[in-house]
Amino acid sequence: MTSPEPAESRPQTRTQDRTQTRTQGRTAQTATLAEIAREAGVSAPTVSKVLNGRADVAPATRARVEDLLRAHGYRRRRAEATRSPLIDLVFHELESAWAMEVIRGVENVARDAGLSVVLSESAGRLTPGRTWADQVAARRPHGVVLVLSGLDASQRALLTSRSIPFVVMDPAGDPGADVPSIGATNWQGGLAATRHLVELGHRRIGAITGPSQMMCSRARVDGYRAALETAGLPVDPGLIADGDFHHEAGYRRGLELLRRPDRPTAVFAGNDLQALGLYEAARELGLRIPEDLSVVGFDDLPVAPLVGPPLTTVRQPLTEMAEAAAKLVLDLGREGSPAATRVELATSLVVRSSTGEPPAGR
């Protein structure tokens, strides 16, 4: 079978123009694919393999064809895309109860839609590797939900060219105005946590932050600072310890804060895992919670009410956020785009037994 003659070499008539309009670009896309094959110096079947995510294409050839596909703005139409009954769920790290709450939310939506969930981890990187993007293109899922992760320009172009929608949940950085995302009111949560401690009478309030490159972490610390400044209290940089949202960071940074001669009487731990690490540090130093030290976490993981004493924390609706992200990615895969593609769900303070008035004399 011979390739169709390029559109620009055929005589153009008004009838042909109307026909091309009615087919919504079908002829133009066919000609573009033939043109891409010629420019790349490959056969049309090779271009088709790249479009379909086949693995039997040399990396250099794949990259050359992908560059040309992007340059020509080629995008397969939704009606032509054959999707697998899957949702891809990508974590930058997959190792905590926090992740389990997210998985539960995506699974709830996938189950109702008759889909399965494929889990991936980017080994701590905030952007998955190129191999992952090729695998997703080959799977052709209904959509991709990225948690605390993002996509680089080439990955976004690859998924877009396959009509694979994606949504970022709790984005690490600013995802951009055109990237659908689901988040929480992290600034308000940090404000509420710190204001609660101020209202109990605490004046030296420490904080153990999350990673500085994560937008949610920065927002929580900004809320902490705003609560102190609003109350007329100084923000002491010495009482702000850099963490990473892991238990070990809560323990190590907690020891540093609590060994200070002017140690804080309360600490906003940034997330529940770090709060539990702080519990361990306090026990090691012989400090009682809340008699000697008040602690507030963030997330309200299932373990929060079960520890001793039960943890005061900011509830982040993780399961609901994950459900919203999965529903949004499925909506984006249907004809017509949803009205809202950037959503923030409300956080709320849950007061338990880990906070109280500061010890007398402090």
Side-chain angles (χ1 to χ4, degrees):
M1 180 181 293
T2 59
S3 299
E5 186 182 4
E8 60 269 26
S9 68
R10 298 193 297 270
Q12 293 295 310
T13 67
R14 291 182 181 178
T15 300
Q16 288 171 322
D17 288 342
R18 287 194 297 269
T19 300
Q20 285 187 328
T21 300
R22 285 196 301 269
T23 58
Q24 297 181 339
R26 181 178 59 197
T27 303
Q29 282 199 349
T30 301
T32 299
L33 288 179
E35 194 172 273
I36 289 168
R38 287 197 299 273
E39 287 187 38
V42 299
S43 65
T46 298
V47 175
S48 178
K49 287 180 181 181
V50 173
L51 276 170
N52 292 318
R54 291 271 297 275
D56 53 339
V57 179
T61 301
R62 179 186 301 278
R64 188 163 68 252
V65 173
E66 290 285 5
D67 287 344
L68 287 168
L69 286 168
R70 285 193 292 272
H72 284 270
Y74 183 86
R75 179 173 179 173
R76 57 190 302 146
R77 292 181 293 153
R78 293 187 194 278
E80 295 174 351
T82 304
R83 296 191 178 94
S84 300
L86 303 170
I87 295 177
D88 265 70
L89 176 57
V90 186
F91 289 88
H92 86 297
E93 289 179 337
L94 183 58
E95 60 175 27
S96 70
W98 188 94
M100 293 305 299
E101 293 301 298
V102 175
I103 293 170
R104 181 176 292 111
V106 175
E107 283 276 11
N108 289 343
V109 174
R111 183 171 54 250
D112 290 345
L115 306 175
S116 299
V117 178
V118 177
L119 291 178
S120 303
E121 184 191 44
S122 56
R125 298 188 303 270
L126 297 183
T127 302
R130 174 69 195 198
T131 302
W132 167 85
D134 287 338
Q135 291 170 347
V136 171
R139 279 194 293 271
R140 297 186 204 166
H142 274 62
V144 177
V145 176
L146 299 113
V147 184
L148 285 173
S149 300
L151 298 174
D152 62 30
S154 64
Q155 291 167 337
R156 288 176 58 182
L158 178 60
L159 295 188
T160 299
S161 72
R162 305 300 191 277
S163 293
I164 300 174
F166 55 90
V167 172
V168 180
M169 176 184 156
D170 216 359
D174 183 0
D178 59 336
V179 176
S181 64
I182 304 290
T185 54
N186 289 289
W187 183 89
Q188 184 63 41
L191 180 79
T194 311
R195 181 174 288 168
H196 169 64
L197 295 170
V198 170
E199 291 173 349
L200 288 171
H202 294 275
R203 296 297 177 264
R204 290 191 59 74
I205 302 171
I208 303 176
T209 74
S212 60
Q213 71 271 29
M214 289 188 179
M215 189 164 61
C216 62
S217 172
R218 296 196 302 270
R220 293 172 197 179
V221 177
D222 287 345
Y224 156 85
R225 291 192 178 97
L228 293 179
E229 292 168 353
T230 301
L233 298 175
V235 178
D236 183 351
L239 294 183
I240 302 175
D242 294 334
D244 60 9
F245 284 158
H246 291 87
H247 178 279
E248 180 64 19
Y251 169 71
R252 287 185 290 100
R253 298 308 190 195
L255 286 177
E256 293 172 8
L257 288 172
L258 299 180
R259 282 173 172 161
R260 292 174 60 101
D262 56 348
R263 65 174 176 82
T265 61
V267 176
F268 169 42
N271 78 335
D272 288 352
L273 292 180
Q274 291 185 151
L276 299 182
L278 181 60
Y279 269 41
E280 184 179 347
R283 283 195 297 269
E284 186 172 310
L285 297 176
L287 298 175
R288 300 166 300 165
I289 299 173
E291 292 84 358
D292 302 313
L293 176 71
S294 288
V295 178
V296 181
F298 200 110
D299 286 333
D300 196 24
L301 296 177
V303 70
L306 305 179
V307 297
L311 177 64
T312 294
T313 187
V314 175
R315 182 176 186 272
Q316 180 175 209
L318 292 171
T319 301
E320 293 90 336
M321 290 166 63
E323 289 174 344
K327 288 176 182 176
L328 178 56
V329 84
L330 293 182
D331 287 345
L332 289 168
R334 302 183 181 109
E335 293 298 330
S337 297
T341 57
R342 300 197 74 173
V343 179
E344 280 195 343
L345 276 64
T347 56
S348 58
L349 182 68
V350 181
V351 178
R352 298 193 179 101
S353 306
S354 67
T355 51
E357 296 181 356
R362 293 185 62 86

